[in-house]
mmCIF file of all heavy atoms in Angstrom:
data_model
loop_
_atom_site.group_PDB
_atom_site.id
_atom_site.type_symbol
_atom_site.label_atom_id
_atom_site.label_comp_id
_atom_site.label_asym_id
_atom_site.label_seq_id
_atom_site.Cartn_x
_atom_site.Cartn_y
_atom_site.Cartn_z
ATOM 1 N N ILE D 1004 14.175 6.684 4.006
ATOM 2 C CA ILE D 1004 13.611 7.376 2.842
ATOM 3 C C ILE D 1004 13.139 6.368 1.806
ATOM 4 O O ILE D 1004 12.030 6.466 1.267
ATOM 5 C CB ILE D 1004 14.662 8.323 2.231
ATOM 6 C CG1 ILE D 1004 15.012 9.445 3.220
ATOM 7 C CG2 ILE D 1004 14.167 8.902 0.907
ATOM 8 C CD1 ILE D 1004 16.152 10.326 2.761
ATOM 9 N N ILE D 1005 13.988 5.390 1.522
ATOM 10 C CA ILE D 1005 13.654 4.382 0.514
ATOM 11 C C ILE D 1005 12.501 3.508 0.983
ATOM 12 O O ILE D 1005 11.604 3.166 0.200
ATOM 13 C CB ILE D 1005 14.901 3.534 0.192
ATOM 14 C CG1 ILE D 1005 15.967 4.422 -0.463
ATOM 15 C CG2 ILE D 1005 14.537 2.363 -0.718
ATOM 16 C CD1 ILE D 1005 17.298 3.741 -0.674
ATOM 17 N N ARG D 1006 12.519 3.145 2.252
ATOM 18 C CA ARG D 1006 11.422 2.316 2.784
ATOM 19 C C ARG D 1006 10.090 3.040 2.664
ATOM 20 O O ARG D 1006 9.085 2.457 2.249
ATOM 21 C CB ARG D 1006 11.698 1.962 4.253
ATOM 22 C CG ARG D 1006 10.648 1.054 4.874
ATOM 23 C CD ARG D 1006 11.081 0.627 6.261
ATOM 24 N NE ARG D 1006 10.992 1.737 7.196
ATOM 25 C CZ ARG D 1006 9.923 2.010 7.958
ATOM 26 N NH1 ARG D 1006 8.838 1.246 7.866
ATOM 27 N NH2 ARG D 1006 9.925 3.018 8.791
ATOM 28 N N ALA D 1007 10.093 4.325 3.024
ATOM 29 C CA ALA D 1007 8.852 5.103 2.908
ATOM 30 C C ALA D 1007 8.407 5.215 1.452
ATOM 31 O O ALA D 1007 7.205 5.161 1.158
ATOM 32 C CB ALA D 1007 9.060 6.487 3.506
ATOM 33 N N ALA D 1008 9.373 5.361 0.536
ATOM 34 C CA ALA D 1008 9.033 5.457 -0.889
ATOM 35 C C ALA D 1008 8.429 4.155 -1.391
ATOM 36 O O ALA D 1008 7.457 4.164 -2.168
ATOM 37 C CB ALA D 1008 10.276 5.814 -1.692
ATOM 38 N N ILE D 1009 8.986 3.026 -0.958
ATOM 39 C CA ILE D 1009 8.452 1.728 -1.379
ATOM 40 C C ILE D 1009 7.040 1.527 -0.832
ATOM 41 O O ILE D 1009 6.137 1.074 -1.537
ATOM 42 C CB ILE D 1009 9.381 0.587 -0.914
ATOM 43 C CG1 ILE D 1009 10.718 0.646 -1.671
ATOM 44 C CG2 ILE D 1009 8.716 -0.771 -1.123
ATOM 45 C CD1 ILE D 1009 11.741 -0.360 -1.193
ATOM 46 N N LEU D 1010 6.857 1.877 0.436
ATOM 47 C CA LEU D 1010 5.542 1.696 1.057
ATOM 48 C C LEU D 1010 4.493 2.644 0.488
ATOM 49 O O LEU D 1010 3.289 2.413 0.655
ATOM 50 C CB LEU D 1010 5.650 1.893 2.575
ATOM 51 C CG LEU D 1010 6.492 0.850 3.320
ATOM 52 C CD1 LEU D 1010 6.567 1.190 4.800
ATOM 53 C CD2 LEU D 1010 5.929 -0.554 3.120
ATOM 54 N N SER D 1011 4.951 3.716 -0.191
ATOM 55 C CA SER D 1011 3.999 4.661 -0.784
ATOM 56 C C SER D 1011 3.377 4.122 -2.070
ATOM 57 O O SER D 1011 2.377 4.658 -2.542
ATOM 58 C CB SER D 1011 4.695 5.998 -1.073
ATOM 59 O OG SER D 1011 5.621 5.875 -2.147
ATOM 60 N N ILE D 1012 3.967 3.073 -2.626
ATOM 61 C CA ILE D 1012 3.414 2.477 -3.846
ATOM 62 C C ILE D 1012 2.140 1.721 -3.483
ATOM 63 O O ILE D 1012 2.154 0.890 -2.570
ATOM 64 C CB ILE D 1012 4.435 1.519 -4.504
ATOM 65 C CG1 ILE D 1012 5.773 2.238 -4.730
ATOM 66 C CG2 ILE D 1012 3.873 0.969 -5.800
ATOM 67 C CD1 ILE D 1012 5.690 3.459 -5.588
ATOM 68 N N PRO D 1013 1.037 1.964 -4.152
ATOM 69 C CA PRO D 1013 -0.237 1.301 -3.811
ATOM 70 C C PRO D 1013 -0.117 -0.226 -3.823
ATOM 71 O O PRO D 1013 0.574 -0.802 -4.685
ATOM 72 C CB PRO D 1013 -1.191 1.782 -4.913
ATOM 73 C CG PRO D 1013 -0.606 3.086 -5.366
ATOM 74 C CD PRO D 1013 0.877 2.925 -5.262
ATOM 75 N N LYS D 1014 -0.771 -0.858 -2.876
ATOM 76 C CA LYS D 1014 -0.717 -2.320 -2.780
ATOM 77 C C LYS D 1014 -1.297 -2.991 -4.018
ATOM 78 O O LYS D 1014 -0.942 -4.131 -4.342
ATOM 79 C CB LYS D 1014 -1.468 -2.789 -1.537
ATOM 80 C CG LYS D 1014 -0.781 -2.428 -0.232
ATOM 81 C CD LYS D 1014 -1.518 -3.005 0.968
ATOM 82 C CE LYS D 1014 -0.793 -2.673 2.265
ATOM 83 N NZ LYS D 1014 -1.510 -3.222 3.456
ATOM 84 N N GLY D 1015 -2.181 -2.272 -4.710
ATOM 85 C CA GLY D 1015 -2.781 -2.846 -5.910
ATOM 86 C C GLY D 1015 -1.748 -3.174 -6.966
ATOM 87 O O GLY D 1015 -1.928 -4.123 -7.756
ATOM 88 N N GLN D 1016 -0.642 -2.419 -6.999
ATOM 89 C CA GLN D 1016 0.403 -2.694 -7.980
ATOM 90 C C GLN D 1016 1.176 -3.954 -7.614
ATOM 91 O O GLN D 1016 1.630 -4.684 -8.490
ATOM 92 C CB GLN D 1016 1.329 -1.489 -8.091
ATOM 93 C CG GLN D 1016 0.625 -0.232 -8.585
ATOM 94 C CD GLN D 1016 1.572 0.807 -9.102
ATOM 95 O OE1 GLN D 1016 2.636 0.486 -9.638
ATOM 96 N NE2 GLN D 1016 1.193 2.072 -8.974
ATOM 97 N N TRP D 1017 1.333 -4.192 -6.323
ATOM 98 C CA TRP D 1017 1.938 -5.458 -5.901
ATOM 99 C C TRP D 1017 1.052 -6.625 -6.333
ATOM 100 O O TRP D 1017 1.534 -7.614 -6.898
ATOM 101 C CB TRP D 1017 2.113 -5.479 -4.378
ATOM 102 C CG TRP D 1017 3.150 -4.554 -3.824
ATOM 103 C CD1 TRP D 1017 2.998 -3.243 -3.521
ATOM 104 C CD2 TRP D 1017 4.512 -4.881 -3.515
ATOM 105 N NE1 TRP D 1017 4.176 -2.720 -3.032
ATOM 106 C CE2 TRP D 1017 5.120 -3.706 -3.015
ATOM 107 C CE3 TRP D 1017 5.273 -6.052 -3.603
ATOM 108 C CZ2 TRP D 1017 6.442 -3.665 -2.605
ATOM 109 C CZ3 TRP D 1017 6.597 -6.023 -3.182
ATOM 110 C CH2 TRP D 1017 7.170 -4.843 -2.705
ATOM 111 N N GLU D 1018 -0.222 -6.483 -6.043
ATOM 112 C CA GLU D 1018 -1.159 -7.564 -6.363
ATOM 113 C C GLU D 1018 -1.246 -7.796 -7.869
ATOM 114 O O GLU D 1018 -1.318 -8.943 -8.330
ATOM 115 C CB GLU D 1018 -2.542 -7.217 -5.801
ATOM 116 C CG GLU D 1018 -2.557 -7.135 -4.288
ATOM 117 C CD GLU D 1018 -3.866 -6.581 -3.749
ATOM 118 O OE1 GLU D 1018 -4.713 -6.184 -4.580
ATOM 119 O OE2 GLU D 1018 -4.035 -6.548 -2.514
ATOM 120 N N ALA D 1019 -1.208 -6.697 -8.647
ATOM 121 C CA ALA D 1019 -1.259 -6.844 -10.099
ATOM 122 C C ALA D 1019 -0.025 -7.564 -10.617
ATOM 123 O O ALA D 1019 -0.108 -8.412 -11.526
ATOM 124 C CB ALA D 1019 -1.378 -5.465 -10.759
ATOM 125 N N GLY D 1020 1.131 -7.249 -10.049
ATOM 126 C CA GLY D 1020 2.367 -7.905 -10.466
ATOM 127 C C GLY D 1020 2.352 -9.391 -10.162
ATOM 128 O O GLY D 1020 2.742 -10.221 -10.998
ATOM 129 N N TYR D 1021 1.865 -9.745 -8.969
ATOM 130 C CA TYR D 1021 1.796 -11.162 -8.603
ATOM 131 C C TYR D 1021 0.785 -11.902 -9.475
ATOM 132 O O TYR D 1021 0.994 -13.070 -9.839
ATOM 133 C CB TYR D 1021 1.406 -11.300 -7.128
ATOM 134 C CG TYR D 1021 2.534 -10.978 -6.170
ATOM 135 C CD1 TYR D 1021 2.335 -10.109 -5.100
ATOM 136 C CD2 TYR D 1021 3.792 -11.562 -6.313
ATOM 137 C CE1 TYR D 1021 3.352 -9.804 -4.216
ATOM 138 C CE2 TYR D 1021 4.815 -11.274 -5.440
ATOM 139 C CZ TYR D 1021 4.595 -10.397 -4.386
ATOM 140 O OH TYR D 1021 5.609 -10.108 -3.518
ATOM 141 N N SER D 1022 -0.308 -11.218 -9.836
ATOM 142 C CA SER D 1022 -1.328 -11.868 -10.673
ATOM 143 C C SER D 1022 -0.809 -12.143 -12.081
ATOM 144 O O SER D 1022 -1.327 -13.024 -12.780
ATOM 145 C CB SER D 1022 -2.580 -10.986 -10.748
ATOM 146 O OG SER D 1022 -2.305 -9.777 -11.456
ATOM 147 N N MET D 1023 0.226 -11.390 -12.496
ATOM 148 C CA MET D 1023 0.834 -11.608 -13.807
ATOM 149 C C MET D 1023 1.919 -12.677 -13.763
ATOM 150 O O MET D 1023 2.569 -12.951 -14.765
ATOM 151 C CB MET D 1023 1.420 -10.297 -14.327
ATOM 152 C CG MET D 1023 0.376 -9.217 -14.604
ATOM 153 S SD MET D 1023 1.141 -7.622 -15.035
ATOM 154 C CE MET D 1023 2.015 -8.084 -16.542
ATOM 155 N N GLY D 1024 2.121 -13.237 -12.591
ATOM 156 C CA GLY D 1024 3.099 -14.310 -12.457
ATOM 157 C C GLY D 1024 4.507 -13.847 -12.138
ATOM 158 O O GLY D 1024 5.456 -14.632 -12.239
ATOM 159 N N MET D 1025 4.665 -12.585 -11.781
ATOM 160 C CA MET D 1025 5.997 -12.085 -11.437
ATOM 161 C C MET D 1025 6.434 -12.597 -10.076
ATOM 162 O O MET D 1025 5.614 -12.757 -9.161
ATOM 163 C CB MET D 1025 6.008 -10.553 -11.410
ATOM 164 C CG MET D 1025 5.887 -9.891 -12.759
ATOM 165 S SD MET D 1025 6.084 -8.088 -12.618
ATOM 166 C CE MET D 1025 5.901 -7.607 -14.333
ATOM 167 N N SER D 1026 7.748 -12.830 -9.947
ATOM 168 C CA SER D 1026 8.302 -13.168 -8.643
ATOM 169 C C SER D 1026 8.507 -11.885 -7.841
ATOM 170 O O SER D 1026 8.367 -10.770 -8.363
ATOM 171 C CB SER D 1026 9.640 -13.892 -8.810
ATOM 172 O OG SER D 1026 10.612 -13.030 -9.394
ATOM 173 N N TYR D 1027 8.855 -12.030 -6.571
ATOM 174 C CA TYR D 1027 9.086 -10.858 -5.712
ATOM 175 C C TYR D 1027 10.213 -9.996 -6.268
ATOM 176 O O TYR D 1027 10.113 -8.769 -6.316
ATOM 177 C CB TYR D 1027 9.421 -11.333 -4.298
ATOM 178 C CG TYR D 1027 9.695 -10.221 -3.320
ATOM 179 C CD1 TYR D 1027 8.662 -9.458 -2.795
ATOM 180 C CD2 TYR D 1027 10.996 -9.947 -2.904
ATOM 181 C CE1 TYR D 1027 8.911 -8.436 -1.884
ATOM 182 C CE2 TYR D 1027 11.258 -8.934 -1.998
ATOM 183 C CZ TYR D 1027 10.212 -8.184 -1.489
ATOM 184 O OH TYR D 1027 10.471 -7.171 -0.593
ATOM 185 N N GLN D 1028 11.298 -10.648 -6.715
ATOM 186 C CA GLN D 1028 12.440 -9.915 -7.262
ATOM 187 C C GLN D 1028 12.072 -9.187 -8.552
ATOM 188 O O GLN D 1028 12.471 -8.045 -8.766
ATOM 189 C CB GLN D 1028 13.618 -10.869 -7.501
ATOM 190 C CG GLN D 1028 14.259 -11.437 -6.241
ATOM 191 C CD GLN D 1028 13.457 -12.573 -5.632
ATOM 192 O OE1 GLN D 1028 12.479 -13.058 -6.224
ATOM 193 N NE2 GLN D 1028 13.864 -13.015 -4.452
ATOM 194 N N GLN D 1029 11.332 -9.859 -9.425
ATOM 195 C CA GLN D 1029 10.917 -9.233 -10.679
ATOM 196 C C GLN D 1029 9.989 -8.047 -10.426
ATOM 197 O O GLN D 1029 10.095 -7.007 -11.086
ATOM 198 C CB GLN D 1029 10.219 -10.266 -11.565
ATOM 199 C CG GLN D 1029 11.128 -11.333 -12.123
ATOM 200 C CD GLN D 1029 10.366 -12.400 -12.885
ATOM 201 O OE1 GLN D 1029 9.215 -12.711 -12.550
ATOM 202 N NE2 GLN D 1029 10.997 -12.959 -13.920
ATOM 203 N N LEU D 1030 9.108 -8.188 -9.470
ATOM 204 C CA LEU D 1030 8.168 -7.121 -9.142
ATOM 205 C C LEU D 1030 8.904 -5.888 -8.621
ATOM 206 O O LEU D 1030 8.606 -4.755 -9.014
ATOM 207 C CB LEU D 1030 7.162 -7.633 -8.113
ATOM 208 C CG LEU D 1030 6.030 -6.686 -7.692
ATOM 209 C CD1 LEU D 1030 5.227 -6.245 -8.906
ATOM 210 C CD2 LEU D 1030 5.129 -7.365 -6.669
#
């Protein structure tokens, strides 16, 4: 359930977080 919920988040939000300098844990 949790894995599916995480994967449902658009990839653009991952990319936006990394572009702001966030680490994987912070994101």
Side-chain angles (χ1 to χ4, degrees):
I1004 295 173
I1005 295 173
R1006 183 173 72 92
I1009 292 175
L1010 294 178
S1011 70
I1012 306 301
K1014 291 184 178 180
Q1016 298 198 31
W1017 290 85
E1018 296 171 355
Y1021 285 131
S1022 67
M1023 295 173 62
M1025 290 186 180
S1026 65
Y1027 179 75
Q1028 292 78 8
Q1029 290 175 328
L1030 184 57

